[in-house]
Amino acid sequence: MAASPKAKPTALFDLKSAALSVLALHLKTPDMAALVAALNARYDAEAGLFLHEPLCLDLTALREAADPLDLAALLPVLRAHGFNPMAVRGGSALQHEQALQLGLIEAPEAAPGRTEAPTEPTAPEVAATAQPDAPAAEATAVPAAPVAGPGRTLIIDKPLRSGQQVYARGGDLIVMAVVNFGAEVIADGSIHVYAPLRGRALAGAQGDTSARIFAACMSPQLVSIAGTWRTFDGGLPPEVADKPAQVRLDGDKLLFDPLKF
């Protein structure tokens, strides 16, 4: 009697490459007192907005700095504002050695042509009078984000709750349900939300300045196009707040336009 073939063992895990989108903090001075004061002034009023947000420290501007950068003192300040410093790039060999000793990893230089969110949002023009910044989010642990294949449109037909993230790599993102406060939608192309947009929306994630953000009910926590971003603490102008509207980039300014049907 012939022996039965041996069953192939089931794989218990897979190791695959992943393209992740993270914020980069471009440091321009090693002066810790000045850095701490600037960070506190910028983010004290937005506690929780970047809760658990992965962060890469870009030290390109400090590579040749005569004064040392005290990363050991800087990291707790960033964590106090909700950031999760994970990597460093662009600095000197000594700066990278210090970062590695503090548990950070060494990240590659930025891809050519890619723009990233600045440490200070570019002052946008909103159709009429600009009203900056929205309340901070209460984020939970972020589950694995659905990701579209390159060049394809990703369609999400279920509500996104706080802490969830969706990324449409290489294409547009269409969301048929509400994007709740604390949720995040990201696309290399444009973002279309046919419901209330209350969370964070980042279009043109790889630097596409022609990308736009559309919402049937515009009430975002944060918007970004090709790295130019803005929050809305004071709310949006009445002509676009909680109404059908779009966000587009004009040079280095974010413009908000009502949509008329």
Side-chain angles (χ1 to χ4, degrees):
M1 183 174 180
S4 58
K6 198 170 184 178
K8 185 178 180 181
T10 303
L12 300 182
F13 64 87
D14 291 313
L15 182 63
K16 299 182 179 180
S17 62
L20 304 177
S21 178
V22 301
L23 292 177
L25 180 65
H26 296 251
L27 298 178
K28 300 178 181 180
T29 177
D31 186 336
M32 274 303 302
L35 279 174
V36 171
L39 287 166
N40 290 342
R42 179 66 183 89
Y43 298 118
D44 272 353
E46 299 177 354
L49 178 62
F50 295 105
L51 189 61
H52 308 311
E53 187 74 44
L55 186 70
C56 175
L57 301 180
D58 192 310
L59 308 181
T60 302
L62 304 182
R63 194 196 308 267
E64 307 296 334
D67 297 327
L69 173 66
D70 190 352
L71 279 175
L74 178 62
L75 296 186
V77 176
L78 294 172
R79 293 182 179 118
H81 288 294
F83 293 106
N84 183 15
M86 302 181 67
V88 65
R89 75 179 185 200
S92 66
L94 183 61
Q95 290 166 342
H96 280 218
E97 181 181 352
Q98 181 188 7
L100 292 174
Q101 291 175 352
L102 293 170
L104 303 182
I105 63 172
E106 189 173 352
E109 298 291 334
R114 178 171 179 170
T115 56
E116 296 176 316
T119 56
E120 294 290 334
T122 305
E125 289 180 353
V126 181
T129 306
Q131 298 288 337
D133 303 43
E138 182 179 324
T140 57
V142 179
V147 179
R152 297 188 60 184
T153 298
L154 178 62
I155 301 175
I156 301 295
D157 56 9
K158 295 181 179 179
L160 297 175
R161 65 181 184 274
S162 178
Q164 288 188 301
Q165 182 191 78
V166 173
Y167 176 32
R169 182 191 302 131
D172 292 347
L173 173 63
I174 296 175
V175 184
M176 306 297 295
V178 60
V179 178
N180 281 300
F181 193 81
E184 186 173 69
V185 287
I186 307 171
D188 289 344
S190 295
I191 295 174
H192 307 254
V193 181
Y194 299 118
L197 170 58
R198 300 183 181 130
R200 298 192 287 182
L202 296 86
Q206 295 290 337
D208 182 1
T209 57
S210 66
R212 299 191 181 195
I213 299 171
F214 303 90
C217 179
M218 184 69 73
S219 183
Q221 175 188 0
L222 176 149
V223 294
S224 171
I225 296 180
T228 298
W229 58 275
R230 188 176 179 205
T231 56
F232 304 94
D233 195 30
L236 287 164
E239 60 266 30
V240 294
D242 299 318
K243 297 177 181 177
Q246 68 166 325
V247 186
R248 57 188 175 89
L249 188 63
D250 183 10
D252 61 353
K253 299 175 181 178
L254 290 176
L255 303 182
F256 288 70
D257 303 317
L259 294 177
K260 298 179 180 179
F261 300 100

